Amino acid sequence: MDPKTLSYHSDSQVEVKPAVPAGPEHTPRMEVLKGIAVSQGIVIGRIFVLDADARHIGRHHVHRDAVDTELSRLDLALRKSREELATVFKDAETVMGVDAAKVFLFHQGMLGDKSLIGPIRAMISSECVSAEHAVSRVLGEWSERFARMPDTAFRSKVNDLEDLQERILTHLTGERRCQLAQVPQGTVVIARDLTPTQAISFDRSRVLAFATDLGGKTSHTAIVARALGIPAVVGCQTLTRLAMDASSIIIDGDRGVVILEPNEETLDDYKAAIKKRQRARVTVGEDARLPAYTLDKVPVQVLGNIEFPQEIPSLLDEGGEGVGLYRTEFLYLASAKEPTEDDHFAAYERCVTLLDGKPLVIRTVDLGADKYTQERTEVPERNPFLGLRSIRYCLRSIPMFKTQLRAILRASALGPIKVMFPLITTTNELRHAKLIVHDVMEDLEEEGIPFDRNLKLGMMVEVPAAALMADTFAREVDFFSIGTNDLIQYTLAVDRTNERVAGMYNPLNPAVLRLVRDTIRAARRHEIDVSLCGEAGGDPEIALLLIGMGLRTLSVSAPAIAPLKRLIRGVSLTQCERLARKAFSFDSDVQVAAYLRDRARKIVPEAFDGRSVDDADPGSGRDPI
Ligand code: PEP
Ligand code: MG
């Protein structure tokens, strides 16, 4: 399945009018909800509210003589679940690639986890209850415990547990619940939460998108949505309370916005935006693969961000000139076990082959904070974003780090690869990480394994300490990649995953802009490459500003590539520089935003027609990432 063709959906399949087919007391009223954007694309459709009704499995006692029978029934249900998951994995692999499909191997792994399954067996034996009751009690209690954890990493595993519970119960009761079988075309599924199995089983000819009350950017359901190209917004909190079955809805998966019962004006705006994208999509291909130059002939390189290798073909179709950020931690997040050196190598080799000579920037694993391995979710931290995450974790897990580096180095013999370290905060960390790379190089040399001896080593600049010390760091790396997603959160002390402070998360805050500008300047002074791979680079207004600040390489998500290249072709560097100079004269994000909004539309009006930002924006801030 080609995610490119799935990213944006025409509203032609479903005729949505602002008037809502509702009861006599219902007055349609537009409601705009802000959630977390997890999978891009805009759709207009009709709501199907998926009930969260858990199965009611009462406490059912069995005679002591029947305990063995219950244990055998459990074993049979577990075996059938394992076999079924093997099939689901195979099917998923064909539609979304092996790495994302490993979500289902993760579920298989849970079936073999003694700490989950052992207590089910123990409860059947000690309390003489039915297998169904023991499964729903034990897994239900685990889900509740995880849901109460303050840590998002735990909460993101709740729907995996619920998914597994539902699968085992289906095999025990023989009753498959499938509310989604008969949804009409043009459906947008609304649910309190969704499991990865529900997401992959959507009939893609009928289900256009989904949105949920719960969920996070790195949950397995979000991974499945992105891999399938289904637009999705999660973490909308009150959505199921407000959503009316069969009423109209807009899902803006680019900005994490859900609009219930949109008014005529908003519908028209979004219809125009969808049409514009469709038109643009038709013309993508002609000039998409050509480099982008400004009107005064300055080249700006546009690369893409990926989580899985199979995203590369659509990234290239959109005009991506390579991969500027490969988030390799997704190899860990989708899988039940730690990837081996060969797992890493296979993924990198696939990237190099698909890129066919185009550059690939591999970021070493960025685990921790909201991206945990299964094992690490068992040891929660009080402040995970300030905790043992990212390069800090790698430097405490040297065998794991070396495994990845060996695979990257081996792959570097096959094509142009660069490596960068995330979250570098101190020079000691950087030096330690480089030392380990050189250790691994020596090992490979001794073993006679080929690799690129001139492999370029870079770092992400995503904490203020790194930006402030950019001059020092620039002497020790080959390139910088500015990670605004984290840089914003650490500069402004705003958790990027917390929707309650989403309005304060603003890339246009002058403090953030100064750190970005100073990093670019330091890189230029020291003649090293500098790019930006945060989501902010895909925002047309901000992109103009960044080019004006001296940036010549941007790495953005695939759908943002083609519009960005068109934008670059429609402006001159002189205009961007003037825009940047003026933007730096303001002392508040509100002023910067107002100025940019006005100027950008005057410089390149064609890039901003269609959807109006203000109409649907519920808060002053931009999207949390
Ligand atoms: C960033 O922080 O800007 C970034 C690109 O990395 P991630 O979003 O994976 O933290
Ligand atoms: Mg980051």
Side-chain angles (χ1 to χ4, degrees), residues 363 366 371 389 422-423 460 462 483 485-487 496:
R363 178 175 74 184
D366 188 18
K371 295 180 279 197
R389 68 169 289 206
L423 209 83
M460 294 206 48
E462 52 182 348
N485 302 345
D486 275 314
L487 188 61
R496 67 193 251 192

Side-chain angles (χ1 to χ4, degrees), residues 189-203:
V189 173
I190 299 300
R192 181 119 183 91
D193 204 359
L194 283 172
T195 64
T197 300
Q198 285 170 320
I200 197 157
S201 61
F202 285 156
D203 175 348

Side-chain angles (χ1 to χ4, degrees), residues 270-297:
Y270 270 92
K271 282 180 182 173
I274 290 171
K275 287 221 172 72
K276 191 176 152 219
R277 282 164 190 249
Q278 284 168 338
R279 272 199 308 275
R281 197 152 301 279
V282 173
T283 56
V284 158
E286 291 162 18
D287 59 357
R289 287 183 182 243
L290 298 175
Y293 288 89
T294 59
L295 292 171
D296 39 2
K297 305 277 176 288

